[in-house]
Amino acid sequence: VRPMQMPDPTRSFTADAITVVAPGSGKVLLSDVTIQLEAGQALGLIGPSGGGKSSLMRAMAGVWPVLRGHVRLDGADLTQWDESTMARCVGYLPQDYTLFDTTIARNISRLGNPDPEAVIKAAKAAGVHEMILAMPDGYEADLGTNGTNLSGGQRQRIALARALYGDPFIVFLDEPNSNLDAEGERAVSAAIAGIRARGG
């Protein structure tokens, strides 16, 4: 049974006393985590490597199921949202992101039919538009397997643009600046400010 179509979220994100387990082993990784964010707010999670930050991100983004508790958008559990709404309203840059062997435009548009205006807006928000324009084929440049034609920082910023594509209500960024230079770091900060300013 498909969930009833819900209006796109605009107000809040909540992780309500969630317990996160590793898929496969069932080992409890995080227990009783509660986070509440309203539109326009941002939260940074800082901790040691292996502390569970990425696991929490996966659970909050709906990539991993939660064992107990609820992840909610505008008060409704993630299970109440259909896949198309989730794909449109949640942006996610995982730590172990992958770029696809296709054009930059299709990478940014998440392999969908690229909306040129939305692709360029996301690229500008990620601070990567000018770099793309400088390439011989621009947005039609083929990245090759996992973007081998690009530097680590360039790949990361294209993956950031993909997370920002379509102005999703909530954006999860897992170590978004791990491969970035100072200019890239400024682009990430500007992207977060932009999400907040538009009510994400």
Side-chain angles (χ1 to χ4, degrees):
V1 179
R2 292 189 63 202
M4 183 182 81
Q5 183 72 38
M6 301 273 285
D8 287 0
T10 58
R11 299 189 321 272
S12 65
F13 167 84
T14 309
D16 184 13
I18 63 172
T19 294
V20 181
V21 297
S25 73
K27 178 185 175 196
V28 173
L29 303 173
L30 296 160
S31 183
D32 202 27
V33 177
T34 296
I35 293 171
Q36 172 96 36
L37 290 170
E38 302 297 326
Q41 291 184 321
L43 173 69
L45 297 173
I46 300 169
S49 182
K53 301 182 301 296
S54 295
S55 300
L56 180 59
M57 287 265 191
R58 292 181 190 113
M60 293 192 304
V63 177
W64 283 5
V66 296
L67 180 67
R68 285 188 294 276
H70 300 276
V71 178
R72 302 179 190 276
L73 291 169
D74 284 5
D77 192 279
L78 289 192
T79 57
Q80 296 180 38
W81 303 87
D82 65 18
E83 280 185 27
S84 65
T85 304
M86 287 293 291
R88 188 173 59 251
C89 297
V90 177
Y92 180 39
L93 172 59
Q95 194 174 341
D96 52 353
Y97 66 87
T98 302
L99 294 180
F100 306 108
D101 189 0
T102 185
T103 65
I104 289 175
R106 280 183 46 80
N107 267 280
I108 292 174
S109 67
R110 305 174 187 172
L111 298 181
N113 188 22
D115 173 341
E117 195 174 317
V119 167
I120 290 170
K121 185 177 182 183
K124 285 181 175 177
V128 77
H129 175 66
E130 300 299 330
M131 179 210 84
I132 294 169
L133 291 183
M135 298 174 77
D137 295 317
Y139 283 91
E140 294 306 309
D142 206 302
L143 289 185
T145 306
N146 202 22
T148 47
N149 305 333
L150 304 175
S151 73
Q154 289 171 327
R155 286 196 297 270
Q156 187 135 8
R157 284 162 76 177
I158 287 173
L160 173 61
R162 179 168 60 201
L164 300 173
Y165 179 73
D167 287 343
F169 173 63
I170 186 156
V171 181
F172 297 98
L173 306 174
D174 192 352
E175 297 207 22
N177 54 357
S178 58
N179 290 310
L180 299 181
D181 55 14
E183 183 188 350
E185 297 239 5
R186 285 193 295 273
V188 169
S189 296
I192 293 168
I195 295 164
R196 296 182 65 189
R198 65 172 169 77

